[in-house]
């Protein structure tokens, strides 16, 4: 099968197995060349197949020599349809990690369910034993609650009043104004149920009950804050409420982990192109301006560079630096005064005509394509490939 990108709005419905492998292998090479840490050795990553979770898994194995189990929810290939990118990424990661001598096992299914937790714990017990790092990096638009069976949908909306700002169609490059209506109370609550901290704490509870937490265990989840430009739709919007809940969960979990001398952290990461962030209105335009400014200042990072910095922060031996809320701030370069001033200045002037000059839409598009295994020079996209790997 010859596989080409099929983009529908902010998703790509195809993925390229060899391209996804190239994406994974580039991240592995980066980590091998830049990091060697004494850190966690037995790692469970929930949401391990793409974006920040995948980068964390790569950095754990190839930067710290860890054995890993990854949980994700991906689609295998079927009847002429390619698998999802996360499926191919997982296959490529397992292959490389095993070849390097690390245990790498993966579970595919709904992490929110009791069944997936129990199946995963069985595998953890069999392959890893007690874990010393649990990374929770699930991003999902919906969650079926394991107790009630009710399905909740998350929404990306402002709270209290409508929000109008600029946005870009990343496919056409057209900059326009968008108005988003405020969420209802029910939508706010549902978004917290999906993207808040409840499932993270259910995973920790299940691991504790199965006696699978090691002495000194660390657990991590990821959050975002961002600038004033995106505040109404992100931090002060529905998703921001869910992130507040996630961040509060870190404090509760740290108390629960006291008998293990363990700790739960939220790491506030940089805005990056992932399947999840491309779905948020206004954010892709902000990201393309941010990329331009950060590249010019030599500060640009992707998921793997962020994962590297995170583990260096956690495992370098010195006290883990956090903000006053106890969060690790990997967004410190994004939020630097000079960076934000430059983005703000460009934002006020941005139009369809100058978006390519003031922003880095090309980088945005390339990053987006590469999420699905396209846009790699080393891959011949005219070759017939088997989608069933
Ligand atoms: P992503 O879409 O790349 O990854 C999501 C992962 O969750 C995938 O591995 C997917 O398979 C998994 N997943 C989704 N639903 C699942 C389910 N029901 N069961 C099991 N696995 C499931 O997302 P990402 O951008 O890497 O986001 C990960 C975390 O990082 C989120 O908490 C997000 O808010 C946070 N974050 C993202 C950014 C950004 O700019 N992308 C910035 C800061 C923080």
């Amino acid at each position: 099968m010859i596989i080409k990108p099929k983009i529908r709005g902010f998703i790509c419905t195809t993925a390229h197995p060899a391209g996804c492998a190239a994406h994974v292998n580039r991240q592995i090479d980066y980590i091998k060349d830049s990091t060697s840490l004494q850190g966690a050795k037995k790692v469970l990553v929930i949401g391990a197949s793409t974006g920040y979770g995948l980068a964390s898994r790569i950095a754990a194995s190839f930067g710290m020599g860890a054995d890993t189990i990854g949980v994700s929810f991906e689609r295998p290939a079927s009847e002429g349809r390619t698998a999802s990118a996360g499926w191919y990424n997982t296959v490529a990661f397992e292959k490389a990690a095993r070849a390097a001598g690390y245990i790498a096992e993966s579970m595919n299914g709904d992490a929110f369910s009791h069944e997936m937790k129990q199946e995963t714990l069985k595998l953890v017990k069999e392959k890893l034993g007690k874990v010393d790092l649990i990374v929770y990096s699930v991003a999902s638009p919906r969650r079926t609650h394991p107790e009630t069976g009710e399905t909740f949908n998350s929404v990306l909306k402002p709270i209290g009043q409508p929000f109008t700002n600029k946005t870009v169609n990343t496919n056409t490059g057209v900059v326009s104004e968008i108005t988003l209506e405020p969420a209802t109370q029910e939508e706010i609550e549902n978004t917290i149920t999906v993207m808040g901290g409840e499932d993270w704490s259910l995973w920790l509870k299940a691991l504790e009950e199965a006696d699978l937490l090691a002495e000194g265990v660390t657990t991590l989840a990821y959050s975002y804050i961002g600038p004033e430009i995106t505040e109404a739709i992100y931090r002060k919007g529905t998703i921001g409420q869910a992130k507040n809940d996630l961040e509060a969960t870190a404090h509760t979990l740290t108390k629960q982990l006291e008998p293990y001398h363990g700790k739960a952290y939220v790491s506030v990461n940089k805005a990056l192109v992932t399947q999840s962030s491309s779905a948020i209105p206004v954010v892709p335009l902000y990201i393309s301006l941010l990329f331009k400014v950060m590249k010019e200042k030599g500060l640009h990072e992707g998921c793997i560079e962020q994962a590297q910095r995170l583990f260096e922060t956690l495992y370098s031996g010195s006290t883990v630096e956090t903000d006053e809320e106890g969060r690790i701030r990997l967004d410190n370069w994004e939020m630097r005064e000079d960076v934000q001033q430059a983005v703000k200045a460009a934002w006020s002037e941005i139009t369809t005509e100058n978006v390519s000059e003031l922003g880095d839409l090309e980088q945005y598009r390339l990053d987006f394509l590469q999420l699905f295994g396209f846009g790699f020079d080393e891959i011949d996209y005219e070759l017939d490939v088997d989608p069933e790997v």
Side-chain angles (χ1 to χ4, degrees), residues 183-375:
T184 63
Q185 188 55 33
E186 195 185 355
E187 286 175 321
I188 299 169
E189 285 161 16
N190 291 353
T191 305
I192 297 172
T193 305
V194 179
M195 286 295 286
E198 188 187 21
D199 189 54
W200 182 24
S201 66
L202 287 176
W203 271 98
L204 265 293
K205 185 166 172 261
L207 284 157
E208 179 168 24
E209 282 170 3
D211 194 21
L212 287 170
L213 297 177
E215 170 69 17
V217 63
T218 299
T219 184
L220 286 170
Y222 298 138
S223 187
Y224 183 66
I225 295 177
E228 212 185 313
I229 293 168
T230 59
E231 200 172 56
I233 182 68
Y234 200 96
R235 195 64 206 200
K236 290 192 175 161
T238 48
I239 183 70
Q241 293 293 308
K243 291 301 182 192
N244 289 343
D245 185 72
L246 185 83
E247 291 172 17
T249 303
H251 297 294
T252 319
L253 288 177
T254 290
K255 283 203 193 83
Q256 284 172 16
L257 293 175
E258 268 170 15
Y260 303 88
H261 304 103
K263 191 128 178 80
Y265 289 101
V266 159
S267 170
V268 180
N269 296 353
K270 178 197 182 196
L272 279 175
V273 185
T274 66
Q275 293 186 41
S276 299
S277 68
S278 52
I280 311 175
V282 183
V283 167
L285 182 57
Y286 165 72
I287 290 181
S288 58
L289 298 195
L290 180 72
F291 279 8
K292 172 106 177 171
V293 173
M294 291 190 82
K295 270 190 185 170
E296 279 169 4
K297 292 180 182 287
L299 297 173
H300 185 65
E301 294 175 296
C303 288
I304 197 66
E305 289 86 352
Q306 286 259 297
Q308 175 202 0
R309 221 155 42 95
L310 176 57
F311 290 161
E312 281 172 0
T313 305
L314 277 172
Y315 296 111
S316 63
S318 41
T319 321
V320 177
E321 215 177 292
T322 61
D323 65 11
E324 59 284 4
E325 317 277 338
R327 302 170 296 202
I328 296 169
R329 298 298 299 265
L330 294 182
D331 65 338
N332 53 346
W333 297 351
E334 168 181 354
M335 299 310 286
R336 240 170 60 172
E337 182 82 21
D338 58 327
V339 171
Q340 285 302 323
Q341 292 242 328
V343 173
K344 213 171 165 183
W347 186 268
S348 62
E349 288 177 25
I350 200 95
T351 60
T352 307
E353 288 65 42
N354 63 20
V355 67
S356 305
E357 187 193 322
L358 295 181
D360 199 342
L361 211 47
E362 282 316 301
Q363 184 69 50
Y364 187 97
R365 287 180 180 138
L366 181 64
D367 284 2
F368 182 79
L369 278 177
Q370 290 188 339
L371 295 178
F372 303 93
F374 300 104

Side-chain angles (χ1 to χ4, degrees), residues 148-159:
T148 61
E150 193 180 342
T151 299
F152 298 90
N153 291 299
S154 67
V155 298
L156 294 159
K157 289 190 178 180
I159 293 175

